[in-house]
Amino acid sequence: MDLKNTALKFFTSAEEEEHVEEYAGPRLVKTGHLNIMVRTPKCFIDVREYADSLMSGSAILVSFEAVDAPLRNRIFDYLNGVSYIVNASVSFISDDLLLYAPEQVEVNKERGAKRTGVRSWLG
């Protein structure tokens, strides 16, 4: 019996003792830590670093604003392949932003206003 239960037993009567229960709620075991990289690739060589980071457990927010459509498609295919291999998730943020999150990260999205007249993401 621990100190807390011993003290409770000493200060409570027998009737009150029936209603006293030990705490069985959730306990903090380990705090979480997540690295989020925000990157804007300018060439395909930059993407290798992003893939390595994703495989090591970091989340990556990729901005495609600095690349043309063919390079965008190539980077998209490569990072989606890496995401598939490591079981990561891919989330559409905006027309030029994608979030690649490792398996242990849950991404919740709120539904925004429906967009009309928006171009296809892949160009």
Side-chain angles (χ1 to χ4, degrees), residues 11-123:
F11 289 109
T12 58
S13 66
E15 294 173 1
E16 293 174 355
E17 189 174 312
E18 294 175 5
H19 300 291
V20 175
E21 297 178 9
E22 287 189 46
Y23 177 73
R27 300 188 190 282
L28 180 62
V29 177
K30 181 179 177 183
T31 59
H33 181 74
L34 175 66
N35 292 327
I36 300 176
M37 296 175 51
V38 180
R39 297 290 186 255
T40 304
K42 294 186 178 31
C43 62
F44 189 75
I45 296 171
D46 297 340
V47 181
R48 290 182 189 175
E49 174 194 346
Y50 311 162
D52 291 339
S53 297
L54 184 60
M55 288 190 289
S56 68
S58 295
I60 306 162
L61 184 63
V62 181
S63 172
F64 291 93
E65 63 187 16
V67 294
D68 59 353
L71 185 55
R72 173 189 296 228
N73 292 346
R74 188 172 175 207
I75 293 170
F76 176 78
D77 289 342
Y78 182 75
L79 288 177
N80 281 346
V82 171
S83 297
Y84 178 77
I85 290 170
V86 297
N87 204 22
S89 64
V90 182
S91 300
F92 176 85
I93 306 298
S94 72
D95 289 338
D96 289 329
L97 287 174
L98 287 179
L99 176 65
Y100 294 88
E103 182 178 18
Q104 67 271 16
V105 176
E106 182 179 337
V107 179
N108 294 324
K109 296 185 265 186
E110 293 182 10
R111 292 192 178 252
K114 193 169 187 175
R115 301 176 306 167
T116 58
V118 178
R119 64 179 168 83
S120 170
W121 189 86
L122 291 175

